[in-house]
Each structure stands twice: as C-alpha cells, then as structure tokens.
Amino acid sequence: MASKAVYSQHRDPMLKKRDDFEDLLEERRNSSDLRYALRCYTPALYKGLTPCKASELKNMVLQSDHLHYVINQVSKESGMTADEVQAEASVILEEMAHRLQLSTVRFFAFTLSKIFKTLFRSICVNEDGIQRLQQAIQEHPVVLLPSHRSYMDFLLMSYILYTYDLALPVIAAGMDFMGMKFVGEMLRMSGAFFIRRSFGGDKLYWAVFSEYVKTMLKNGFAPVEFFLEGTRSRTSKSLTPKLGLLNIVMDPFLKGEVFDVSLVPVSISYERVLEEALYAREMLGVPKPKESTSGLFKARKILSEDYGSIHVYFGQPVSVRSLAEGRVDRCQFNLVPRHIPRRPGEEISSFVNDSAYRLVRAQEENMVLKPWVLLASLLLQNQAAGEKQGMLLEELTERVLWLRDLSRQYGAFLHWPDHIPPSAVVSSSLSLHHGLVRICEGRVQLALEQAEGQAGAEEPRSAITPEEALLSQAVTILSCASYRNQGLHVFLRPALLASAVHTASSNKKHEVYNSFSFLRNMFSNEFILCPGAAVQDFEEACFLLVKSGALQINQQEILVTERGHRTLTFLSSMLDPFLQGYQVVCRFLCEESAEGLTEKQFVPAVQKFIIKHLLTGRLRYAEVLSSDLQKNALAALLRLGAVRKLKGGEKPGMLKVNEVMVNSLEDTLGGKLPTQKPLAARL
C-alpha cells in the first residue's frame, strides 16, 4: 500500500497516541481498477462460518419463535388469520431484505474507484484500526457505527472494507433510497437493507425488522452497519443518538444468545463536504430534493470539483460485555422466555443511552480536523464582529497558528502539515474552499457579496429584495459554520466555562459552576454532553483552561489571567451564535402570539421573526436562521417544561408557552437581545 503519513500530533507528547494513516487511493492511481474490482476476494468470517444465502436468512427470520409469537398476537388483535399476518410479514421482509451479490460489489468497486480518484486527493485510513476490526470480526458479531455527514459515507465504508479484504457489512438504509430506480436495487445487491424512517406502533414491522437484524448478528452473517445519529448531520455537529437499533444489537448479548458483541465507532472526516450548499439551503427552509436516479446524474457536475481529502478512523472495538459489567443484571432476562418481546426497563434504557453517548463521543474524539476548520472559526467571528473589510492574510495566518496551538493543547486530532510553511497551508485551504471565501488586496473575508450576486443571477441585481440577499448570504455563513462545527467538540467544554465566567454573578467557583451547569443543561439537545457528567465536564474545562494559561483556580475562586482574555474571548464567541439563537426563540415565544402554533408551524414562523430582526439590526448572527438550531432550542424548552405540547383537543400538538419561565431562561442566557447595526450595513 501507500507510504505512511505521520502527522504532527504524534510528535506532541501532550496528545493522545493515535494511529497513522495510509492513503488507499495511491495504489488505485498506480494500478488497474478492473484488476482491483475482479481480484480474489476471500474475507475472514466470524469463527470461520460459511455465509448463508439471503433466502436462507429470510427463512430463519420467518420461522423464528419471536416472530411467530408476534404474528399470533397481531392475529388476535386484528381479527386476521395467522396465515394472513404471516403473509404480511413475508411482504415486509421481502421489501426490507438485502440481496448481497459479489458481482454488484465488484461493479461498485470499479465505479467508485473512478469517482473517488476524480473527487478526492486522498482517502486516508488507519490500518491499525483495520487490523483490529479484522480480528474482531473473527471473534464476535461486529456492529459498525460510522459518523454520518454525507451520502458518501456508506459507499465509502463498503469500498474500504472490500479494499482491505474484510467482510462486507449489511447496512441499514432509509426507504427513500429504495425509490431510486436501478440505484436502489444496486444498493440492495451491495448489502443495503431498507427500513422505514418511523414505524409508529406497527408491532409486526418492528418484530420483522428486529428479528432480521438479530438473526444476521447472532449468526455472524456479516458485520451490521448503521448510523447512531439516525440521519445525516446537516450542521457537521454530532446529533443526539437514536437508540432503537442499538437496543436491537445489544439484545442478543443481554439475553445470553451470544458471548459478546463488538461495537466499532468509525469517524469519517471530509475536508470538503459534497452537500455543503444543499445542507445550508435545507436549514433555511428549502425542501430536501427527493432521492432519484435522475438527480444522481444531474449531480455529475460535482465531478469537476476538488473535494480535498477524507480521513476514516476505525476506533477501538467496544465490548458490550465490558460496557454492561456492573451496570446490568442479566438474570432478569431468565424470568421470561427469550422469544417474548418486552419493553426495556429503566436500567436497560439508561445503560443503552449512556453507551450511545459514549460511542458518539468516541466518534468525535477521532474526527480529523483540517486547517479550514480553524480558519472558518476565525472568519465567522471576524464577520460577526462587523469587520466589513475582512482580515489581512498575514493577520489571519498569525491567528490561525495561535488557534492551531490551542487546539493541540486541547487534544484536537489536527491534520496540519508541519513540513509546509504556514502561509502555504492557509493559501491551499482558502483555495480549496474558494466558493466560501474571497481574497481581495491581501484581505480575506467570507464570500457574501458573491452569494448576493448568485441570488440574482437570473434577474437584474436591483431586483433582489433585502430578504433574498440576506438568505443568500446566510447560505455562505451556514456552510462556513458547518466546518467550524467539526471542531466544536474540542472547544465545547472550555467554551461553556468561558461563557459561564462571563455570565456568573461573581468569580466564586460555585457561582461559575452553577452558570456552567445551567448552560450545559440548556445546550444538551444541541451538543453531545453525556448525561450526569456535569462535574466531570466542569473539571475537564478547568483543567484545559489552566493548562493553556487562561485561568488560575484556587479552592474558592476562578480568575482570568492577563494572557487568558484572548482565549476566553475566542471561546465564548464560539458559543455566542447558539446563545443568541436560544434567546431569540425565547423572545419569539413571548412576543409573538405563539400560543396557537403547532411544532410544524414553529420553524417557518420563527424564521420570519428572525429575518425581520436581522434586517433591522437587532440580531448579530445570521446563523440563528438555522432550522436545526431553532428545533434544538424548542426541544430544550420542551424538556425544561417552559413549553408544553398539548395532547388531544382541537389542535393536538399545539404549543403552550409558560411566559414567566421562558422570560426567566432568556434573562439567564445573557439578558435581553442587544441592538446591533442593521445587518445590511455590516455586510
């Protein structure tokens, strides 16, 4: 394979030891793609098992005790005969099941080689992680848990496993892919099985689905792959994990049907995301295009673009047995026959939830950050501060080197090529993201005027309304924010502490902790903050800010050092868009007659309110237009009981606002919204 690329973080004793990477496209560029696709493929399997055919797998599912039990239950409840329910189960399974065929896999291997070499400079994989995975596949059933930032993720995963001669995974895919003519069937034949986005209370569907996944897992048929976050993150922040599939794959261990299950978190980091503008528009209310084959071919124009490099890091396999040790009493599963479905109790739910957060944190820890993540953070803060002229290139380079050193101190997995002059690293990064930045007379700024021009490309420039110009600029800002968000997990805890120091009523340690704890609780729908770990997160933030010389802490007080002001200003500015977003949602719920709104009507209504305030200069951050941020703010208010969803009545799902509580939360978040210069004047 390719020569090893050893990055700077391995020479820094402060940082965790992480595996080296190898570029698997290097060999693809130097040898035949056809020979690669047709090569001998003999993956090692679970305990030397002979894989069973897809038809045998279906029979095992349909004949299982669990499914028969549910079929009889549904038959009694619905009045249908058991045979009719069995036939319905067969139809569900037929619609769902994969039909993995090596010939289709080979076709994809050939095609993807061509596409990947065109789109990407390199696809870097940690080979030690591949070796650990190879070992795990032979010993226990394996579940692959990749991060999810792009449609490319599951194609990439299968491509890598095929390249390294590993067993191909069976992949949980949304039903919308099945609607793509030809491509849907191709995906099915390369290992995808299709599931509905939501099952509602469909007992039979859930039984077929869970039994299908568990049968594949228990028999070591293939590694099972799914996305813990449930859907692609449009913001590049990790999403709150969904627990349904994780419950299913842990079940065989909890019931003693397998000795252990290995969960493998996989971190996929894109230097440039294919869907960046699409995601930004989605968050501004432009509907997501329906998956279709014609849409796929229209997307061919992306083949002329450069998307930089991808880093894929296969994390340490996590043993479910070791996770459960001392946490779960498995004896409870001996009291009821295994095939009888039962709702997980509080102990199991809490265990699965904690495990899910731990796994998503493991994904975050091994995300590789590129220089652009740091540059985007600085350029966004500069733009929000009203710096119309942008930043001098030399100043940007100086600041990004300061931020590079800070992020390394905080344990970031940073890919910064130290053998290249910093100015060249910055220039290369700005060049790759030429659609988002503009360099004019040695000054760098976000390409907001360019965005405005694009908005009116089909009509005279004078015809653009202020609202259209704002939304066009917001596409650029939200696209940049998604890159900044890739590194948020590194700075999150210190940033919460920096904001707490700023908002606390005094510098007393317990006051700052209370403020930190409030912010952490408020933002627990926004970021991955493990349940019950407030003290641990506070101590980690204190440790990092003391280590970087920003704070001095004694038994009673937290003091900002002379050199710490720069660090604390940067960190609190990172959280400011989120603080302002939550404040404006509170303001909307109190000022506007939000009482009659349902959850579905909330986002369009709050976006209209925000546009009005951005245009008048009452708000600083165009980022608050993100529907993702607005939904998370509402979810936090619902969780805290400041807003309730009414059940029954004329308008089920209608929002009921506790204005006193919402007002109080807005004040605690940092007071009433400040008046800014109108956004148009600052842009």
Side-chain angles (χ1 to χ4, degrees):
M1 272 269 168
S3 57
K4 300 239 168 164
V6 182
Y7 299 134
S8 55
Q9 67 270 6
H10 299 127
R11 296 196 296 274
D12 189 336
M14 288 190 293
L15 299 180
K16 300 168 190 166
K17 175 74 177 86
R18 290 175 172 119
D19 302 339
D20 298 336
F21 285 98
E22 194 158 342
D23 176 14
L24 59 80
L25 285 188
E26 192 173 309
E27 190 174 305
R28 295 279 43 76
R29 295 189 201 281
N30 297 321
S31 59
S32 159
D33 289 330
L34 189 60
R35 194 176 297 125
Y36 159 75
L38 297 176
R39 70 197 174 86
C40 178
Y41 172 66
T42 52
L45 296 167
Y46 174 49
K47 292 180 180 165
L49 198 84
T50 309
C52 65
K53 292 178 183 164
S55 55
E56 292 170 35
L57 185 66
K58 285 183 202 167
N59 285 334
M60 287 163 80
V61 174
L62 292 171
Q63 286 162 19
S64 70
D65 291 341
H66 172 226
L67 193 56
H68 278 183
Y69 180 88
V70 174
I71 284 169
N72 289 328
Q73 255 192 335
V74 172
S75 170
K76 284 173 194 162
E77 288 166 13
S78 65
M80 294 165 71
T81 66
D83 286 348
E84 286 170 331
V85 181
Q86 175 90 22
E88 200 180 314
S90 294
V91 170
I92 292 169
L93 188 56
E94 198 58 41
E95 174 191 71
M96 183 185 295
H98 74 81
R99 288 197 296 276
L100 187 62
Q101 289 184 10
L102 192 54
S103 56
T104 308
V105 171
R106 293 189 187 283
F107 169 79
F108 266 123
F110 178 77
T111 311
L112 289 174
S113 280
K114 299 288 184 201
I115 293 170
F116 288 161
K117 283 188 289 183
T118 307
L119 288 177
F120 303 110
R121 297 175 187 177
S122 58
I123 296 176
C124 302
V125 180
N126 64 321
E127 287 216 320
D128 289 351
I130 290 289
Q131 285 166 16
R132 289 192 295 265
L133 175 60
Q134 191 166 30
Q135 188 66 35
I137 286 172
Q138 294 173 63
E139 291 174 356
H140 303 293
V142 164
V143 179
L144 294 166
L145 301 169
S147 56
H148 200 15
R149 304 289 178 269
S150 171
Y151 274 144
M152 198 62 81
D153 295 332
F154 62 89
L155 296 171
L156 190 61
M157 286 289 291
S158 295
Y159 181 80
I160 291 168
L161 267 58
Y162 177 79
T163 301
Y164 285 103
D165 215 27
L166 289 172
L168 287 175
V170 286
I171 308 151
M175 203 63 98
D176 32 5
F177 285 103
M178 205 175 81
M180 296 169 73
K181 289 176 193 165
F182 175 66
V183 174
E185 278 311 300
M186 291 286 287
L187 291 173
R188 192 192 289 278
M189 289 189 283
S190 60
F193 63 95
F194 296 99
I195 54 173
R196 294 176 194 165
R197 292 284 178 194
S198 61
F199 307 162
D202 193 332
K203 235 185 245 184
L204 184 64
Y205 193 92
W206 177 259
V208 173
F209 166 60
S210 59
E211 192 58 34
Y212 181 64
V213 173
K214 283 191 268 194
T215 303
M216 287 190 289
L217 194 76
K218 285 187 292 193
N219 293 285
F221 177 83
V224 174
E225 177 182 316
F226 64 90
F227 300 109
L228 253 181
E229 298 162 283
T231 186
R232 286 175 299 159
S233 169
R234 271 74 173 162
T235 60
S236 290
K237 286 192 291 101
S238 296
L239 306 178
T240 303
K242 303 284 186 291
L243 305 179
L245 260 163
L246 191 60
N247 263 306
I248 288 172
V249 298
M250 285 183 162
D251 197 61
F253 164 75
L254 295 172
K255 288 182 175 169
E257 295 170 306
V258 295
F259 180 77
D260 200 357
V261 175
S262 288
L263 307 172
V264 182
V266 184
S267 309
I268 306 176
S269 314
Y270 293 90
E271 188 164 15
R272 191 176 159 205
V273 179
L274 273 78
E275 301 99 325
E276 67 181 28
L278 181 73
Y279 288 164
R281 290 192 179 96
E282 260 187 70
M283 287 186 290
L284 292 168
V286 178
K288 179 179 100 161
K290 197 177 171 190
E291 276 76 27
S292 67
T293 307
S294 61
L296 191 70
F297 288 114
K298 280 177 194 162
R300 280 180 307 172
K301 66 177 183 183
I302 66 168
L303 293 174
S304 60
E305 288 280 343
D306 176 4
Y307 287 89
S309 59
I310 303 175
H311 284 75
V312 184
Y313 195 98
F314 288 81
Q316 289 283 353
V318 177
S319 151
V320 175
R321 173 173 279 274
S322 64
L323 283 177
E325 201 172 329
R327 283 286 313 263
V328 177
D329 176 14
R330 291 197 294 160
C331 295
Q332 59 186 287
F333 294 97
N334 298 335
L335 305 173
V336 181
R338 285 174 185 160
H339 65 273
I340 295 177
R342 49 177 275 177
R343 273 190 178 284
E346 200 172 311
E347 180 194 41
I348 299 295
S349 297
S350 170
F351 164 68
V352 173
N353 189 50
D354 290 353
S355 301
Y357 272 87
R358 180 173 162 178
L359 289 159
V360 176
R361 285 285 288 131
Q363 287 176 350
E364 286 185 335
E365 291 287 321
N366 291 322
M367 286 287 192
V368 174
L369 307 185
K370 311 297 191 316
W372 172 245
V373 171
L374 308 182
L375 289 164
S377 305
L378 293 166
L379 289 167
L380 280 166
Q381 290 193 13
N382 190 64
Q383 182 271 328
E387 298 288 342
K388 284 179 72 175
Q389 302 304 313
M391 223 187 300
L392 283 167
L393 189 54
E394 294 80 11
E395 185 192 352
L396 179 62
T397 304
E398 181 273 318
R399 285 201 203 175
V400 83
L401 288 175
W402 169 81
L403 188 52
R404 176 197 69 181
D405 295 343
L406 185 70
S407 63
R408 281 178 174 168
Q409 281 188 305
Y410 289 178
F413 197 174
L414 188 64
H415 173 217
W416 183 290
D418 281 334
H419 58 284
I420 297 171
S423 57
V425 174
V426 171
S427 296
S428 167
S429 201
L430 295 174
S431 168
L432 184 69
H433 296 275
H434 56 85
L436 298 176
V437 282
R438 189 159 70 76
I439 305 174
C440 184
E441 296 176 1
R443 302 188 82 92
V444 186
Q445 63 186 114
L446 299 184
L448 299 176
E449 286 173 28
Q450 190 177 318
E452 192 175 324
Q454 286 165 359
E458 293 174 19
E459 52 185 318
R461 196 178 168 110
S462 58
I464 302 171
T465 66
E467 185 177 323
E468 286 169 335
L470 170 64
L471 290 172
S472 179
Q473 290 157 356
V475 170
T476 299
I477 289 169
L478 288 177
S479 297
C480 276
S482 74
Y483 289 103
R484 177 212 55 209
N485 290 347
Q486 288 183 16
L488 263 178
H489 64 277
V490 173
F491 300 108
L492 176 59
R493 285 149 191 82
L496 286 168
L497 181 53
S499 292
V501 167
H502 177 66
T503 56
S505 54
S506 76
N507 61 2
K508 293 278 184 284
K509 198 172 179 181
H510 69 274
E511 293 277 4
V512 176
Y513 173 75
N514 289 341
S515 188
F516 176 92
S517 188
F518 166 78
L519 289 170
R520 188 187 180 282
N521 186 27
M522 196 75 199
F523 286 132
S524 61
N525 294 80
E526 194 71 50
F527 308 114
I528 298 298
L529 293 157
C530 298
V535 173
Q536 191 182 324
D537 284 349
F538 181 71
E539 285 172 355
E540 182 190 320
C542 289
F543 170 75
L544 291 172
L545 282 167
V546 168
K547 183 171 91 162
S548 58
L551 294 181
Q552 283 180 345
I553 300 177
N554 58 37
Q555 289 297 99
Q556 273 82 38
E557 290 182 322
I558 293 181
L559 304 167
V560 183
T561 64
E562 191 60 43
R563 58 184 279 212
H565 289 289
R566 181 182 190 179
T567 304
L568 264 68
T569 300
F570 169 78
L571 290 169
S572 54
S573 296
M574 269 202 130
L575 277 192
D576 278 351
F578 299 98
L579 281 164
Q580 190 167 94
Y582 279 49
Q583 280 179 269
V584 77
V585 165
C586 291
R587 187 87 322 265
F588 165 77
L589 290 169
C590 292
E591 266 183 30
E592 301 290 304
S593 50
E595 280 289 326
L597 286 180
T598 62
E599 206 168 350
K600 200 173 178 183
Q601 296 163 331
F602 165 77
V603 169
V606 79
Q607 282 193 329
K608 203 171 168 186
F609 178 82
I610 288 169
I611 287 168
K612 181 176 77 179
H613 284 296
L614 278 166
L615 290 172
T616 57
R618 240 191 127 199
L619 293 173
R620 176 186 292 186
Y621 297 98
E623 274 185 67
V624 300
L625 279 166
S626 161
S627 59
D628 182 79
L629 192 152
Q630 294 150 14
K631 287 173 187 170
N632 288 338
L634 181 62
L637 294 171
L638 285 162
R639 174 173 49 81
L640 296 169
V643 178
R644 284 189 304 118
K645 248 191 296 189
L646 298 181
K647 292 176 182 173
E650 284 178 34
K651 242 184 168 182
M654 193 171 76
L655 301 175
K656 179 82 177 160
V657 181
N658 179 336
E659 285 196 28
V660 174
M661 196 170 172
V662 170
N663 261 316
S664 169
L665 287 169
E666 184 191 351
D667 287 344
T668 316
L669 279 166
K672 301 295 178 195
L673 294 171
T675 300
Q676 309 289 343
K677 274 194 290 181
L679 196 84
R682 290 188 288 110
L683 300 181

